[in-house]
Amino acid sequence: MADTTYTVTGMTCDHCARSVEEEIRGLGGVTGVTVELATGAVTVSSTEALSAADVRGAVEEAGYRLT
């Protein structure tokens, strides 16, 4: 089990946070996603380490930016 925290910019509302969460949950091996809207922190729990490129792609698909 791996937990990794990323910072996502551009999220301004709950809908934004849900969009990011939904896209990341679509990645293989993801078991949980927690989005802290106020700070932009997104913590991803997974069965194995995820590629930062895969997470970045999911965040960008939702319309936001991984920093």
Side-chain angles (χ1 to χ4, degrees):
M1 193 82 145
D3 288 338
T4 308
T5 301
Y6 303 91
T7 302
V8 175
T9 59
M11 297 184 298
T12 58
C13 64
D14 288 335
H15 181 279
C16 299
R18 283 192 305 272
S19 294
V20 168
E21 181 180 344
E22 183 179 304
E23 289 296 332
I24 294 174
R25 282 189 185 276
L27 298 174
V30 172
T31 58
V33 179
T34 304
V35 178
E36 209 172 300
L37 186 58
T39 63
V42 177
T43 302
V44 181
S45 300
S46 58
T47 56
E48 57 190 49
L50 297 173
S51 155
D54 288 345
V55 175
R56 181 178 311 280
V59 169
E60 289 176 356
E61 182 67 28
Y64 304 95
R65 191 165 163 230
L66 187 70
T67 58

